[in-house]
Amino acid sequence: MHPGEVQRIQIFVPKVRMTFNTLEDAAKFYKDYAKAAGFSTRVWSTNKKENEIKNQLITCSKEGKWKSKISSTEKTNPSASLNCLARIYIHILKNVGVWIISKVVLHHSHSCCPNQAEMLKQYRELSMSVCRTIENNEEAGIRPGKTYQSFVAAAGGHHELNFIEKDVRNYITREVKNVSELDDAKEFGKYLLRMKKKNQIFFFELELEDDQLIKLAFWADARSRAVCEYFGDVISFDTTYNTNRYNLVCNSFVGVNHHSQSTLLG
């Protein structure tokens, strides 16, 4: 669509009305269609009555006019406002309790690229295994760029990934570097409780300071307790001495039994 061209928008009511049990199902249907067509969506407006949603408007993410802060005379590569009007209207049928798509606008003011849809922000995601690798690499001091390139190499190319390097850097900033000591203490306590729930023989003691930071912690799993009972007393005293980014002070001596002798640290 060229600047100054009148955009003809065709709004139509579907002849065969699809029904959905929930608003989320209807929104997911349009999101799946958008991904296949090569564009992303966003909820533009939601109308409620007595705290109950009655209808919702979902548009193309490029809806609306964008005004640049740079004057048109200074632009080296000027572009027209997108103002895309592709959208759907969803509302609930009274006395039936089902949702329908009542109106649809399919025309876009821009080109859509189905083969590049996974690179749109709405569809990019980091799996649990990817997040774990990012955390481990960050802990080891590996640069985000190197981490991302390792994913590229393992997948066989950039196009085989459904995320970009920016997503890796954002995850490090948002999830890794902003972890507080208080959150660490809470998560550690939850972990000990989960282990106890899995096996009642698991034993732990956790004591927190007044500010909810860890003062002392001790735990022993079922195997360790059985070995201790069979072979005798065991002392474990591991030391880190503020060597990691959490400034954790944890000391450890390693005991000796008749099978092997371990180095004693102090």
Side-chain angles (χ1 to χ4, degrees):
M1 180 175 172
H2 301 288
E5 179 182 348
V6 177
Q7 185 177 2
R8 296 178 180 179
I9 303 300
Q10 181 182 7
I11 302 178
F12 68 91
V13 178
K15 294 182 179 179
V16 179
R17 290 188 172 182
M18 299 182 62
T19 61
F20 304 89
N21 292 328
T22 65
L23 175 62
E24 290 74 17
D25 290 340
K28 183 180 184 302
F29 172 81
Y30 188 56
K31 181 179 178 181
D32 292 342
Y33 161 77
K35 185 175 182 180
F39 68 97
S40 56
T41 65
R42 65 175 172 175
V43 176
W44 182 257
S45 64
T46 300
N47 293 325
K48 295 183 179 181
K49 185 177 181 180
E50 297 179 354
N51 292 326
E52 292 187 0
I53 298 177
K54 298 300 181 181
N55 56 74
Q56 190 172 84
L57 169 61
I58 304 179
T59 70
C60 173
S61 59
K62 294 185 179 180
E63 196 277 344
K65 293 184 179 180
W66 176 76
K67 185 177 180 181
S68 175
K69 296 181 180 180
I70 305 176
S71 65
S72 57
T73 56
E74 296 177 352
K75 285 184 178 180
T76 57
N77 185 23
S79 58
S81 174
L82 294 175
N83 195 26
C84 184
L85 295 180
R87 62 193 59 205
I88 64 169
Y89 300 85
I90 308 173
H91 78 267
I92 190 169
L93 291 177
K94 296 180 179 179
N95 303 323
V96 180
V98 297
W99 296 83
I100 64 168
I101 298 176
S102 57
K103 297 180 182 180
V104 180
V105 178
L106 296 178
H107 179 73
H108 292 269
S109 64
H110 56 92
S111 60
C112 299
C113 302
N115 60 336
Q116 298 181 6
E118 290 188 350
M119 289 297 101
L120 296 174
K121 184 178 181 179
Q122 184 177 23
Y123 307 118
R124 300 199 309 263
E125 61 179 357
L126 301 176
S127 66
M128 185 179 298
S129 61
V130 168
C131 292
R132 178 61 62 187
T133 301
I134 294 174
E135 293 170 4
N136 292 338
N137 287 1
E138 177 67 13
E139 179 73 22
I142 299 175
R143 297 195 303 272
K146 291 289 186 180
T147 296
Y148 177 71
Q149 289 304 320
S150 69
F151 291 131
V152 173
H158 296 79
H159 297 294
E160 301 299 323
L161 297 174
N162 59 347
F163 59 91
I164 59 178
E165 183 176 338
K166 182 180 179 180
D167 297 321
V168 175
R169 295 182 180 275
N170 287 344
Y171 179 80
I172 293 174
T173 301
R174 184 180 65 253
E175 302 293 342
V176 180
K177 292 186 177 180
N178 288 335
V179 175
S180 67
E181 293 180 350
L182 182 58
D183 291 334
D184 283 344
K186 290 181 179 179
E187 290 303 317
F188 182 58
K190 291 179 181 178
Y191 169 78
L192 294 177
L193 289 173
R194 289 197 301 269
M195 296 299 294
K196 180 69 175 181
K197 187 176 181 180
K198 290 181 179 180
N199 191 327
Q200 291 300 313
I201 302 179
F202 182 88
F203 175 83
F204 74 90
E205 288 285 351
L206 179 63
E207 184 177 342
L208 303 179
E209 300 279 7
D210 293 336
D211 54 3
Q212 298 302 303
L213 298 181
I214 296 176
K215 181 178 181 180
L216 62 88
F218 172 83
W219 65 95
D221 58 22
R223 182 177 182 276
S224 297
R225 296 187 67 179
V227 170
C228 179
E229 183 177 357
Y230 187 81
F231 293 112
D233 294 339
V234 174
I235 297 177
S236 179
F237 193 68
D238 187 29
T239 179
T240 303
Y241 288 120
N242 297 331
T243 58
N244 62 9
R245 62 190 176 90
Y246 294 108
N247 294 321
L248 179 65
V249 179
C250 183
N251 308 297
S252 188
F253 289 105
V254 180
V256 179
N257 59 32
H258 70 285
H259 287 296
S260 62
Q261 180 174 349
S262 303
T263 305
L264 295 177
L265 303 177

Short mmCIF file of all heavy atoms in Angstrom, two decimals, residues 234-239 251-257 259-266:
data_model
loop_
_atom_site.label_atom_id
_atom_site.label_comp_id
_atom_site.label_asym_id
_atom_site.label_seq_id
_atom_site.Cartn_x
_atom_site.Cartn_y
_atom_site.Cartn_z
N VAL A 234 30.29 -39.82 59.86
CA VAL A 234 30.75 -39.14 58.65
C VAL A 234 30.69 -37.65 58.88
O VAL A 234 29.71 -37.14 59.44
CB VAL A 234 29.87 -39.51 57.42
CG1 VAL A 234 30.29 -38.68 56.22
CG2 VAL A 234 29.98 -40.99 57.11
N ILE A 235 31.72 -36.95 58.49
CA ILE A 235 31.75 -35.49 58.60
C ILE A 235 31.91 -34.91 57.20
O ILE A 235 32.80 -35.31 56.45
CB ILE A 235 32.91 -35.00 59.49
CG1 ILE A 235 32.72 -35.51 60.92
CG2 ILE A 235 32.99 -33.48 59.47
CD1 ILE A 235 33.85 -35.12 61.84
N SER A 236 31.06 -33.99 56.84
CA SER A 236 31.16 -33.31 55.56
C SER A 236 31.24 -31.81 55.79
O SER A 236 30.42 -31.24 56.51
CB SER A 236 29.94 -33.63 54.67
OG SER A 236 30.04 -32.95 53.45
N PHE A 237 32.25 -31.17 55.21
CA PHE A 237 32.46 -29.74 55.44
C PHE A 237 33.04 -29.14 54.16
O PHE A 237 34.23 -29.16 53.92
CB PHE A 237 33.41 -29.54 56.63
CG PHE A 237 33.46 -28.14 57.13
CD1 PHE A 237 32.35 -27.61 57.76
CD2 PHE A 237 34.59 -27.35 57.00
CE1 PHE A 237 32.37 -26.32 58.26
CE2 PHE A 237 34.62 -26.07 57.48
CZ PHE A 237 33.50 -25.54 58.12
N ASP A 238 32.18 -28.64 53.31
CA ASP A 238 32.58 -28.14 52.00
C ASP A 238 32.80 -26.63 52.04
O ASP A 238 32.07 -25.92 52.72
CB ASP A 238 31.48 -28.48 50.97
CG ASP A 238 31.89 -28.14 49.55
OD1 ASP A 238 33.10 -28.20 49.29
OD2 ASP A 238 31.02 -27.83 48.75
N THR A 239 33.79 -26.13 51.31
CA THR A 239 34.08 -24.70 51.37
C THR A 239 34.02 -24.05 49.98
O THR A 239 34.52 -24.60 49.01
CB THR A 239 35.48 -24.45 51.98
OG1 THR A 239 35.73 -23.05 51.98
CG2 THR A 239 36.57 -25.13 51.18
N ASN A 251 31.28 -24.32 53.82
CA ASN A 251 32.53 -25.06 54.03
C ASN A 251 32.25 -26.55 54.12
O ASN A 251 31.22 -26.97 54.61
CB ASN A 251 33.19 -24.59 55.32
CG ASN A 251 33.34 -23.10 55.35
OD1 ASN A 251 34.02 -22.53 54.53
ND2 ASN A 251 32.65 -22.45 56.29
N SER A 252 33.21 -27.36 53.66
CA SER A 252 32.95 -28.79 53.66
C SER A 252 34.21 -29.61 53.91
O SER A 252 35.22 -29.45 53.22
CB SER A 252 32.35 -29.19 52.32
OG SER A 252 31.93 -30.53 52.35
N PHE A 253 34.18 -30.47 54.94
CA PHE A 253 35.19 -31.51 55.14
C PHE A 253 34.61 -32.81 54.58
O PHE A 253 33.41 -33.06 54.70
CB PHE A 253 35.51 -31.71 56.62
CG PHE A 253 36.26 -30.57 57.23
CD1 PHE A 253 35.63 -29.67 58.07
CD2 PHE A 253 37.61 -30.41 56.96
CE1 PHE A 253 36.33 -28.62 58.62
CE2 PHE A 253 38.32 -29.36 57.52
CZ PHE A 253 37.67 -28.45 58.36
N VAL A 254 35.45 -33.63 53.98
CA VAL A 254 35.01 -34.89 53.41
C VAL A 254 35.53 -36.03 54.26
O VAL A 254 36.73 -36.11 54.53
CB VAL A 254 35.49 -35.04 51.95
CG1 VAL A 254 35.01 -36.36 51.37
CG2 VAL A 254 34.96 -33.87 51.12
N GLY A 255 34.64 -36.94 54.68
CA GLY A 255 35.04 -38.02 55.57
C GLY A 255 35.75 -39.15 54.86
O GLY A 255 35.93 -39.15 53.65
N VAL A 256 36.16 -40.18 55.65
CA VAL A 256 36.92 -41.32 55.14
C VAL A 256 36.24 -42.61 55.60
O VAL A 256 35.83 -42.72 56.75
CB VAL A 256 38.38 -41.28 55.65
CG1 VAL A 256 39.15 -42.49 55.13
CG2 VAL A 256 39.05 -39.99 55.26
N ASN A 257 36.09 -43.58 54.71
CA ASN A 257 35.60 -44.90 55.12
C ASN A 257 36.58 -45.96 54.63
O ASN A 257 37.65 -45.63 54.09
CB ASN A 257 34.18 -45.15 54.60
CG ASN A 257 34.08 -45.09 53.09
OD1 ASN A 257 35.03 -45.44 52.38
ND2 ASN A 257 32.94 -44.64 52.60
N HIS A 259 36.45 -47.87 52.17
CA HIS A 259 36.51 -48.03 50.72
C HIS A 259 37.47 -47.06 50.06
O HIS A 259 38.19 -47.38 49.13
CB HIS A 259 35.11 -47.87 50.10
CG HIS A 259 34.22 -49.03 50.37
ND1 HIS A 259 34.47 -50.29 49.92
CD2 HIS A 259 33.04 -49.10 51.06
CE1 HIS A 259 33.49 -51.10 50.30
NE2 HIS A 259 32.62 -50.40 51.01
N SER A 260 37.43 -45.83 50.52
CA SER A 260 38.26 -44.80 49.87
C SER A 260 38.59 -43.72 50.87
O SER A 260 37.97 -43.59 51.93
CB SER A 260 37.52 -44.19 48.69
OG SER A 260 36.32 -43.55 49.14
N GLN A 261 39.59 -42.95 50.54
CA GLN A 261 40.00 -41.84 51.38
C GLN A 261 39.87 -40.56 50.58
O GLN A 261 40.38 -40.46 49.47
CB GLN A 261 41.44 -42.00 51.86
CG GLN A 261 41.93 -40.86 52.74
CD GLN A 261 43.31 -41.12 53.30
OE1 GLN A 261 43.83 -42.22 53.21
NE2 GLN A 261 43.88 -40.10 53.90
N SER A 262 39.16 -39.59 51.14
CA SER A 262 38.92 -38.33 50.44
C SER A 262 39.76 -37.23 51.06
O SER A 262 40.16 -37.31 52.22
CB SER A 262 37.44 -37.94 50.52
OG SER A 262 36.63 -38.96 49.97
N THR A 263 40.05 -36.23 50.26
CA THR A 263 40.84 -35.10 50.72
C THR A 263 40.06 -34.29 51.75
O THR A 263 38.88 -34.00 51.56
CB THR A 263 41.25 -34.19 49.55
OG1 THR A 263 41.92 -34.98 48.58
CG2 THR A 263 42.12 -33.06 50.02
N LEU A 264 40.71 -33.93 52.82
CA LEU A 264 40.10 -33.08 53.83
C LEU A 264 40.39 -31.63 53.49
O LEU A 264 41.53 -31.22 53.28
CB LEU A 264 40.65 -33.43 55.21
CG LEU A 264 40.33 -34.83 55.73
CD1 LEU A 264 41.00 -35.05 57.07
CD2 LEU A 264 38.81 -35.00 55.86
N LEU A 265 39.33 -30.84 53.43
CA LEU A 265 39.48 -29.42 53.10
C LEU A 265 39.20 -28.60 54.33
O LEU A 265 38.29 -28.90 55.10
CB LEU A 265 38.50 -29.03 51.99
CG LEU A 265 38.63 -29.82 50.67
CD1 LEU A 265 37.56 -29.38 49.70
CD2 LEU A 265 40.01 -29.62 50.07
N GLY A 266 39.93 -27.52 54.50
CA GLY A 266 39.68 -26.68 55.66
C GLY A 266 39.98 -25.24 55.37
O GLY A 266 40.46 -24.89 54.35
#
